[in-house]
DNA sequence: GCAAACTCATTTGCGTACAAACAATAATCA
DNA sequence: TGATTATTGTTTGTACGCAAATGAGTTTGC
């Protein structure tokens, strides 16, 4: 009997590497369905519509973006005309963000595409596998 | 009987969003174990040691990075003293990259940490779940 | 009532990631 | 051979993503 080599590290089998590639594939599918918004921008838009008026940092927390990141994303969404902002009268540190009419219109129009992106991303799996995968993926959060 | 609303799009349940958060958690674990190299840099280093002397673009393909990205990664690895480069005598376009002694030393020293990162990332799952998850994740590549 | 601790938004710096364009070189095939 | 096509490496521009630092404002504890 020989000791199995304990060393062998195969990059292509590491979770992180595979996850990165799966994510790359997903980003490609996203861009194909929604070319005018990045996944991050769409996430912020969707959450903003979900939550209604919110502060910038709170929106960041809801979308898993830190303060520096959400600022850039919100700036770009504002430049595209989707977000109205005003200072919070009750807390002078806060910047209140609100989805405007254009935001709702875009959101409603894009939800079917967003569903299609999820469907396409998971397409290599059977329905049963998709459910299992999502369940396990959630646990890795 | 009422029609179930077909609209409801819950951001937090979309593959892309959950995958992004799982990846964020993984990046945090990576940085905790290997603070001096990013996951991408380690991937390039590991692949370079796996492959031996390779051209820059070929290394990029092997690590799923496009030409622009691998250039930056290789530049940083070179700045850290891990990569020797020379022009390919057989193809004047090519830049041949080779892991040097420092690269091998770092790679050998970091493989245990890299295994620990994979282990920690998958820790919320049982052994059986880990196998299933990796199998399904591979299919989404 | 006040100082310490915290929160909010912002900035800077670094590191992926990709698109698009470019010049130089190689390969193909008419 | 000579023209077309492809590949290699590079640069520029845009967009996350986080760390760390800052200044302004708020909360807490004593």
């Amino acid at each position: 009997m020989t000791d199995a080599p304990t060393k062998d590290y195969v990059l292509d089998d590491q979770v992180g590497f595979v996850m990165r590639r799966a994510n790359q594939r997903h980003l490609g599918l996203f861009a194909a369905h929604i070319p005018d918004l990045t996944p991050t921008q769409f996430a912020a838009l969707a959450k903003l519509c979900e939550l209604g008026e919110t502060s910038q940092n709170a929106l960041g927390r809801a979308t898993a973006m830190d303060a520096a990141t959400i600022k850039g994303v919100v700036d770009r969404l504002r430049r595209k005309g989707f977000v109205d902002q005003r200072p919070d009268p009750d807390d002078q540190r806060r910047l209140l963000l609100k989805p405007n009419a254009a935001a709702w219109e875009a959101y409603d129009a894009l939800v079917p595409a967003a569903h299609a992106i999820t469907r396409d991303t998971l397409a290599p799996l059977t329905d049963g596998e998709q459910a299992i995968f999502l369940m396990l993926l959630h646990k890795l959060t």
Side-chain angles (χ1 to χ4, degrees), chain A residues 8-109:
Chain A
D8 60 341
Y9 177 81
V10 182
L11 178 65
D12 306 78
D13 291 341
Q14 309 303 310
V15 223
F17 189 71
V18 188
M19 220 157 51
R20 178 165 145 271
R21 294 201 298 140
N23 203 50
Q24 284 175 350
R25 174 168 163 274
H26 172 258
L27 295 182
L29 292 170
F30 194 104
H33 279 95
I34 304 184
D36 295 337
L37 242 38
T38 66
T40 325
Q41 288 167 18
F42 181 74
L45 176 66
K47 254 306 179 227
L48 192 55
C49 287
E50 234 177 275
L51 298 176
E53 197 168 43
T54 328
S55 81
Q56 186 172 276
N57 273 14
L59 182 61
R61 281 190 294 272
T63 51
M65 303 178 207
D66 74 354
T69 301
I70 193 66
K71 192 217 181 305
V73 173
V74 165
D75 283 352
R76 276 162 230 124
L77 285 177
R78 258 193 334 123
R79 213 183 304 139
K80 294 180 196 221
F82 290 133
V83 179
D84 290 347
Q85 59 177 220
R86 66 180 176 106
D88 186 334
D90 298 332
D91 186 336
Q92 304 188 267
R93 297 168 306 176
R94 281 200 173 91
L95 194 60
L96 288 178
L97 307 177
K98 194 158 71 155
N100 60 20
W104 281 108
E105 199 180 326
Y107 179 55
D108 289 343

Side-chain angles (χ1 to χ4, degrees), chain A residues 120-137:
Chain A
D120 287 3
T121 300
L122 293 173
L125 306 183
T126 67
D127 286 2
E129 288 173 332
Q130 296 188 9
I132 294 172
F133 178 75
L134 283 175
M135 198 249 295
L136 299 179
L137 185 60

